[in-house]
Amino acid sequence: MAVGVFDSGLGGLTVLDAVSKRLPDVPFVYFGDNAHAPYGVRDADDVYNLTTAAVERLWEAGCDLVILACNTASAAALKRMQESWVPKDKRVLGVFVPLIEALTERHWGDNSPPREVAAKHVALFATPATVASRAFQRELAFRAVGVDVEAQPCGGVVDAIEQGDEILAEAMVRSHVEALLRRMPHPDAAILGCTHYPLMQHIFQDALGDGVKVFSQANLVAESLADYLERHPDMLGSGTDSMFLTTGDPKKVSNKATQFLKRRIEFQAA
Ligand code: DGL
């Protein structure tokens, strides 16, 4: 009954941590495509090819349901995968929708027509590929009217986080926030649209100021997955073991992951 969690690298561990705390009896198989991270600077075809290869590996590990804990893959590849690639007995879900449902104050899975919501000025921080896809604005338009979104492509932040360079990552976050605030001085809410960014959430909040509500994905995805599995218990796959797979060097990736999650994580070669 395992569920797969995919990211280009380590960022999805923020989601893995939250889903495994929320659903302690479910085994999770994590796949980090560290050899090919970051995805945020790749084109859509490239992201699609890498993501489908990783998801196939998770199916092999007995996960019929895979969460793309990567906004870049959710934005650049998920729609194409769902439309023409995912077989009928499998599911691949992204991380955008739970975030937008929370921002627009909806119950999970509520597909009623778009309506006015409290947040009127929303700052979106994401990778260049996610921003270029406009997937966030597309999904938001299905659910809300009259929301002004200003998006900041945060080049370099994922690289700095993957390299474990917190000082560089912090400097980059502060400069991306400043750049956005020059264009939208008073956002009501900010979306951290990359699963690496919760690791820098306190810096985003500090740079944005206390008046801005910062939405980050991990707990929202965990709640929405718990709700989904209650409605679709048949989607728990045949796998029984939790594991961490990587396309990178398992030793190096394990050390960095351990540093991030502050508990020992052992990756094995995918
Ligand atoms: N953490 C991923 C995301 O949410 C991947 C970023 C990247 O690989 O550039 O977008």
Side-chain angles (χ1 to χ4, degrees), residues 6 29 39 100 103 108 126 128 133 147 157 162 167-168 236 247:
F6 161 79
V29 181
Y39 278 15
I100 292 173
L103 177 75
W108 308 126
S133 74
V147 183
V157 176
E162 289 277 324
I167 294 173
L168 179 62
L236 282 165
T247 54

Side-chain angles (χ1 to χ4, degrees), residues 7-8 11-12 37-41 69-73 127 130 158 193-196:
D7 184 40
S8 60
Y39 278 15
V41 290
C70 174
N71 291 270
T72 308
T127 65
T130 299
V158 167
C194 170
T195 52
H196 283 71

Side-chain angles (χ1 to χ4, degrees), residues 124-148:
L124 168 67
F125 297 94
T127 65
T130 299
V131 170
S133 74
R134 295 189 61 82
F136 177 83
Q137 288 89 329
R138 186 184 66 223
E139 290 296 334
L140 183 64
F142 290 135
R143 296 169 178 83
V145 286
V147 183
D148 179 20

